[in-house]
Amino acid sequence: MKNRPWRLAYNAVGVPLMMAGAQVARRFSPKLDRALAGRQNLFLRLESALEPLPTDAPRLWLHAASVGEFEQGRPILRALKEQLPELQTVVSFQSPSGYDLAARRQPPEADVITYLPLDTRRAAERFVATVRPTLGVVVRYEYWPNHTWAMSRVGRPLALVCASLRADAPYLAAGLRPFARSVLSAYSQVLTVSQTDLERFRDLLGDATGEPKLLVAGDTRYDQVLRRRDEARSAPPLLPEAFTDRMCVVVAGSTWPPDESALTTAFDGLRLRHPNLRLVLVPHEPTAAHLEPLMAALGSRFGPEAAIRYSHLDRYRNQPIIVVDRLGILVALYGGADIAYVGGGFTSGIHSTLEAAAYGIPVIFGPKHGKSPEAAPLIESGGGIAATDAAAVATALGRFLDDKTAREAAGSAAGALIESGRGATERTVAALLPLLTGGL
């Protein structure tokens, strides 16, 4: 059997270590504990969800690690369902945050929502036998070996979409290349977000011939954010007219305490020179443990009436700062901004800049942006600025506040970059349709 030594090694050594490590780590990680607990009775729930579906229709299994990957997969599922109305879709998640959000919202693109079983050979083979997918699609990079090999054993095609491979990816290390090659060679197609990524996959695959076929299709997130932007623009504005009228509004999305510290310091230094400056803080985790100290710090620095929570806007009295204590509205809030700040760059890494850039406004973020594939193009285009520290955040904001022409030019560059990514969904669907319809 092809790549048999790597399969034996993974299942004899890798899987037992992974399983044992997970059981130890769950004691210290509530998120991991929730993920493992959520997999109890997985197959009973999955079989029950699949039972009402006809058995003679094409079925697509899409795996998304979490929320971000599912957002990349949604436009693909939507477009495929438009072309094949009888198509059934099963969406699996690795993380509890992705699973919980999808299970709560029940997006129309997913007929069945499930956790992905742990990557043991027995569980993977049972999963594939239960789902019986005509085609499997993995979004971005999370290719679990046993699930990949299980699809290969039953002769079902598997595609990796929106695929990216960073230069520092562990798979590129010399010792792991043969193992990664044994997994990736089981794919029928790898559809990358850029030519650079395609070349890295080609280098990783080395002398492997035949499958997978490599193709640059682009990143479907661009299509998704453009769609969400258009939907938000057609809805009523979320910010009070008194807050935005003749003001310069900075919307800071997915912020963490270091971001908020840098922004409030910048706001304090700039507001005397720019009295029309307004700030919207949208914490990544709007929990009481985060919001209460943030509101206290703002009150201490700017006065007790300077900031108001979004849930209290019915009592808005011209406060210059709004703290958003609600989930799911960030994309629409960017529509009321003149400048955007994207958080995470002073902690583990920035969150998505695409939603803000889609509105044609300049985007500022912190120094840790290496894991964000769109950050470098945004900087190169002139639409984004990476601030190295809190002082640099103030400098970047000051530049756009002082120079409207520079602000508009940066915003145009950001918007043009997002528009240039339009069409990835169409190219991806064109590549996947032959796999679904048997026309390989």
Side-chain angles (χ1 to χ4, degrees):
M1 184 180 291
K2 186 178 179 182
N3 299 314
R4 180 179 173 84
W6 288 110
R7 300 185 191 205
L8 291 173
Y10 177 70
N11 283 292
V13 180
V15 171
L17 287 175
M18 180 174 60
M19 299 289 285
Q23 292 302 323
V24 173
R26 72 184 300 180
R27 302 175 186 176
F28 308 99
S29 171
K31 183 176 181 179
L32 177 58
D33 184 64
R34 189 155 51 99
L36 294 175
R39 285 169 165 81
Q40 292 181 358
N41 300 317
L42 183 154
F43 285 104
L44 289 176
R45 289 183 277 119
L46 179 58
E47 289 164 2
S48 176
L50 289 169
E51 188 175 4
L53 301 181
T55 57
D56 57 350
R59 183 175 292 173
L60 183 143
W61 160 46
L62 181 138
H63 177 64
S66 192
V67 177
E69 289 76 16
F70 181 54
E71 286 301 308
Q72 287 177 286
R74 287 183 72 182
I76 299 171
L77 297 178
R78 189 183 307 120
L80 285 171
K81 277 179 169 283
E82 289 173 358
Q83 301 228 22
L84 298 172
E86 72 277 19
L87 179 66
Q88 301 167 5
T89 54
V90 177
V91 178
S92 65
F93 288 92
Q94 180 65 20
S95 80
S97 54
Y99 174 84
D100 290 347
L101 185 64
R104 185 168 67 250
R105 294 185 176 177
Q106 292 293 314
E109 297 87 356
D111 296 314
V112 175
I113 297 166
T114 179
Y115 272 109
L116 187 74
L118 297 179
D119 195 44
T120 67
R121 176 170 177 166
R122 183 177 179 181
E125 290 182 346
R126 183 178 178 184
F127 180 79
V128 170
T130 301
V131 175
R132 301 188 305 278
T134 310
L135 168 67
V137 173
V138 176
V139 181
R140 201 170 180 186
Y141 50 64
E142 196 179 70
Y143 18 89
W144 290 99
N146 274 319
H147 284 79
T148 301
W149 294 327
M151 287 287 287
S152 180
R153 282 192 194 95
V154 297
R156 297 297 187 183
L158 189 62
L160 183 64
V161 302
C162 300
S164 61
L165 190 61
R166 301 196 319 269
D168 61 347
Y171 313 110
L172 296 178
L176 288 178
R177 277 175 175 260
F179 174 69
R181 190 178 299 128
S182 74
V183 178
L184 285 169
S185 62
Y187 278 75
S188 300
Q189 291 184 349
V190 174
L191 309 179
T192 68
V193 299
S194 71
Q195 184 65 33
T196 299
D197 290 291
L198 183 144
E199 296 300 334
R200 286 177 182 152
F201 275 104
R202 180 173 289 157
D203 178 64
L204 174 58
L205 288 164
D207 297 330
T209 57
E211 294 180 337
K213 297 174 183 176
L214 300 175
L215 175 70
V216 178
D219 191 339
T220 58
R221 287 183 303 165
Y222 289 84
D223 294 319
Q224 181 73 345
V225 299
L226 287 168
R227 177 188 175 96
R228 293 178 68 191
R229 178 204 65 187
D230 293 343
E231 290 173 348
R233 280 177 168 170
S234 65
L238 297 181
L239 296 173
E241 184 178 357
F243 187 83
T244 59
D245 187 35
R246 290 177 292 181
M247 301 296 171
C248 191
V249 178
V250 177
V251 172
S254 299
T255 59
W256 297 89
D259 301 301
E260 291 147 9
S261 176
L263 286 161
T264 52
T265 298
F267 183 82
D268 197 11
L270 292 167
R271 62 187 181 135
L272 292 178
R273 193 162 83 245
H274 297 279
N276 66 335
L277 180 60
R278 297 292 182 265
L279 177 63
V280 181
L281 293 173
V282 190
H284 184 69
E285 295 183 346
T287 61
H290 187 163
L291 293 171
E292 289 173 6
L294 174 59
M295 293 298 295
L298 292 171
S300 176
R301 185 161 197 163
F302 302 111
E305 303 299 320
I308 185 172
R309 291 194 184 204
Y310 185 85
S311 59
H312 297 166
L313 283 183
D314 57 333
R315 295 175 289 192
Y316 181 71
R317 296 294 182 271
N318 206 34
Q319 290 92 339
I321 303 173
I322 295 175
V323 176
V324 177
D325 52 0
R326 176 179 161 189
L327 291 169
I329 62 172
L330 176 57
V331 172
L333 287 171
Y334 281 133
D338 299 285
I339 304 168
Y341 177 94
V342 174
F346 291 103
T347 50
S348 59
I350 65 170
H351 299 281
S352 175
T353 60
L354 297 180
E355 290 91 348
Y359 284 96
I361 55 177
V363 185
I364 303 169
F365 42 86
K368 295 182 180 179
H369 56 78
K371 295 181 181 179
S372 171
E374 67 270 9
L378 194 58
I379 296 169
E380 292 167 6
S381 73
I385 292 179
T388 55
D389 53 28
V393 171
T395 299
L397 283 172
R399 173 192 169 195
F400 291 135
L401 291 169
D402 293 336
D403 189 342
K404 183 179 179 182
T405 301
R407 183 171 76 239
E408 291 177 346
S412 295
L417 178 66
I418 304 304
E419 287 291 342
S420 72
R422 189 189 290 271
T425 301
E426 183 180 350
R427 291 186 291 272
T428 301
V429 167
L432 295 180
L433 268 175
L435 300 180
L436 266 174
T437 57
L440 281 172

